[in-house]
């Protein structure tokens, strides 16, 4: 089996081709894993891994004490183009938007969406999806891209698109919002309402997105270093702890520590914005009567908060539409180069959390 692929991938792909060609019909039994190992000249564990990947792809099922069988719907699944939607573990509103808009766009193309979730220490499923040659949309954190997953994405050569982050210099088509413009829109809206002392709430000021947004905020507000130190509220939530709880505590401390100069706050994250609302209320600075609030990012949480929170919508649906165009070109071998970067322009969604500063 002279091939650059790993041995288990070669076995898997040979079995896949046999199923696609009808050599193993739906409902038929496959040779045992030991028989496959002998046939392909590999170890039992290599053959088992190959079969396991087909089980995970829902093309084969293992029946206790009977063996492995081709699933009845295998031909239908193989006939459909599979596009993987891969995001971080968690139930954030942005994850939900990514999956909702992504699945809908994929189905509208007549393709089949397959959802995978990854964590920093568990990316094997995503790597296998990339190895399969299927298309994929990724919405993952910056840190996870520094490891094996980032390498696997670069090897995909255009068949995987990164959303909300960028690896275009490494040959990964990337679609992301103009985060600096998002903050410019927020600051402009607050300036028009009469605010000049505007704070910003960030969970991690060293995160690439937050760095861009904080730099844009400083430039728009023309703040010096001393003002930045006063008006950046850093949350720094420890791993596995509540972002809302830490945000509430940090903002409450900020508002109760004289002089709390800010008359408006920009928040980078909708879950944090909910905690900011509560902290402002409990500090005697209710929104919007005594504090205005704008969030970078929109979701149903912001729409149904009390009061509804003004947001800069980064347009996840627009991200998905651009990513699907890139994937379609890649599927048709029309993508001239995988070094593609598309910027999505955000827009302001004005609600009732902004008012002129209290006199």
């Amino acid at each position: 089996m002279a091939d650059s692929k790993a041995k288990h991938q070669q076995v898997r792909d040979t079995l896949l081709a046999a199923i696609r060609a009808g050599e193993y019909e739906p409902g038929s039994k496959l040779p045992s894993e030991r028989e496959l190992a002998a046939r392909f000249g590999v170890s039992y564990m290599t053959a088992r891994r190959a079969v396991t990947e087909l089980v995970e792809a829902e093309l084969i099922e293992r029946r206790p004490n009977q063996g492995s069988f081709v699933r009845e719907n295998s031909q239908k699944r193989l006939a459909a183009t599979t596009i993987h939607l891969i995001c971080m573990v968690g139930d954030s509103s942005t994850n939900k938007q990514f999956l909702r808009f992504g699945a809908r766009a994929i189905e509208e193309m007549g393709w089949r969406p397959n959802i995978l979730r990854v964590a920093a220490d568990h990316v094997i499923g995503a790597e296998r999806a990339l190895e399969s040659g299927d298309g994929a949309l990724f919405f993952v954190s910056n840190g996870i891209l520094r490891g094996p997953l980032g390498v696997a994405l670069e090897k995909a050569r255009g068949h995987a698109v990164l959303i909300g982050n960028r690896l275009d210099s490494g040959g990964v088509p990337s679609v992301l919002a103009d985060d600096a413009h998002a903050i410019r829109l927020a600051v402009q809206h607050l300036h028009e309402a009469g605010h000049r002392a505007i704070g910003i709430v960030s969970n991690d000021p060293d995160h690439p997105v937050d760095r861009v947004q904080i730099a844009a905020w400083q430039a728009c507000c023309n703040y010096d270093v001393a003002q930045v130190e006063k008006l950046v509220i850093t949350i720094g939530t420890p791993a596995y702890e509540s972002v809302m709880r830490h945000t509430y505590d940090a903002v409450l401390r900020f508002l109760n520590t004289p002089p709390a100069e800010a008359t408006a706050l920009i928040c980078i994250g909708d879950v944090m914005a909910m905690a900011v609302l509560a902290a402002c209320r409990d500090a005697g600075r209710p929104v919007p009567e005594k504090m205005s609030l704008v969030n970078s990012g929109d979701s149903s949480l912001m729409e149904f908060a009390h009061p509804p929170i003004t947001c800069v919508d980064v347009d996840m649906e627009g991200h998905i539409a651009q990513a699907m165009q890139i994937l379609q070109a890649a599927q048709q071998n029309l993508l001239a180069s995988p070094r593609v970067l598309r910027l999505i322009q955000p827009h302001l969604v004005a609600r009732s959390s902004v008012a002129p500063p209290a006199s």
Side-chain angles (χ1 to χ4, degrees):
M1 299 180 68
D3 195 308
S4 61
K5 291 183 179 179
K7 289 182 178 180
H8 78 276
Q9 294 170 2
Q10 297 174 45
V11 175
R12 177 201 64 199
D13 290 351
T14 302
L15 290 173
L16 188 61
I19 294 170
R20 183 178 279 114
E23 182 180 338
Y24 298 115
E25 295 182 350
S28 64
K29 183 179 179 180
L30 289 176
S32 71
E33 287 157 12
R34 294 198 183 279
E35 290 172 330
L36 290 171
R39 177 186 298 183
F40 292 108
V42 297
S43 70
Y44 165 74
M45 291 306 297
T46 295
R48 183 170 181 79
R49 181 174 176 185
V51 173
T52 296
E53 292 192 5
L54 293 176
V55 170
E56 291 173 348
E58 299 182 8
L59 295 170
I60 289 174
E61 62 177 334
R62 286 192 176 107
R63 299 176 188 172
N65 303 317
Q66 295 182 57
S68 299
F69 293 79
V70 179
R71 284 182 175 268
E72 293 293 341
N73 66 345
S74 60
Q75 292 296 334
K76 182 178 179 181
R77 292 180 69 85
L78 285 170
T81 299
T82 298
I83 304 295
H84 303 283
L85 287 166
I86 301 172
C87 64
M88 302 297 294
V89 171
D91 202 27
S92 71
S93 60
T94 47
N95 270 0
K96 289 178 179 177
Q97 287 183 332
F98 168 73
L99 295 175
R100 182 171 75 252
F101 293 133
R104 186 171 69 192
I106 290 167
E107 289 175 351
E108 286 175 352
M109 289 293 299
W111 296 343
R112 186 179 72 87
N114 179 50
I115 295 171
L116 294 169
R117 295 180 183 268
V118 298
D121 58 350
H122 188 73
V123 298
I124 293 175
E127 290 182 84
R128 288 179 180 171
L130 289 170
E131 290 170 359
S132 71
D134 295 332
L137 301 182
F138 276 78
F139 182 61
V140 295
S141 67
N142 189 65
I144 206 168
L145 295 173
R146 300 192 188 104
L149 188 57
V151 175
L153 273 165
E154 292 181 2
K155 290 180 179 178
R157 305 307 299 167
H159 288 275
V161 181
L162 185 59
I163 290 177
N165 226 313
R166 64 183 297 186
L167 280 177
D168 51 295
S169 61
V172 182
S174 304
V175 182
L176 68 158
D178 186 339
D179 293 309
H181 186 55
I183 293 299
R184 286 194 289 270
L185 288 173
V187 172
Q188 179 183 351
H189 186 64
L190 290 168
H191 279 171
E192 288 172 353
H195 295 277
R196 292 296 176 267
I198 302 169
I200 191 164
V201 185
S202 166
N203 192 42
D204 179 9
D206 290 327
H207 187 281
V209 172
D210 290 42
R211 279 207 312 269
V212 168
Q213 296 198 341
I214 290 170
W217 159 81
Q218 181 180 1
C220 289
C221 295
N222 197 28
Y223 288 153
D224 59 26
V225 174
Q227 289 171 305
V228 169
E229 289 180 354
K230 286 181 181 179
L231 292 170
V232 174
I233 306 173
T234 300
I235 309 306
T237 307
Y240 311 115
E241 295 195 18
S242 168
V243 174
M244 290 189 78
R245 167 52 59 186
H246 282 270
T247 301
Y248 173 86
D249 291 343
V251 173
L252 196 62
R253 282 195 301 273
F254 171 83
L255 295 174
N256 287 331
T257 302
E261 299 174 353
T263 62
L265 296 174
I266 297 172
C267 197
I268 306 177
D270 56 359
V271 171
M272 294 164 59
M274 298 298 290
V276 172
L277 267 184
C280 289
R281 177 198 65 214
D282 293 348
R285 303 278 297 278
V287 174
E289 293 83 3
K290 295 185 179 180
M291 178 68 71
S292 287
L293 177 61
V294 178
N295 186 57
S296 179
D298 195 14
S299 72
S300 55
L301 278 178
M302 303 296 89
E303 182 181 1
F304 295 107
H306 183 69
I309 298 174
T310 293
C311 295
V312 180
D313 186 353
V314 298
D315 190 10
M316 179 61 78
E317 193 168 9
H319 282 67
I320 296 291
Q322 289 291 322
M324 291 299 294
Q325 288 182 15
I326 295 168
L327 272 187
Q328 191 173 17
Q331 294 284 328
Q332 297 171 357
N333 295 316
L334 298 176
L335 192 64
S337 168
R339 294 175 182 270
V340 176
L341 176 64
R342 303 274 176 85
L343 277 181
I344 305 298
Q345 292 303 311
H347 59 274
L348 188 83
V349 181
R351 298 192 177 107
S352 53
S353 65
V354 174
S359 56

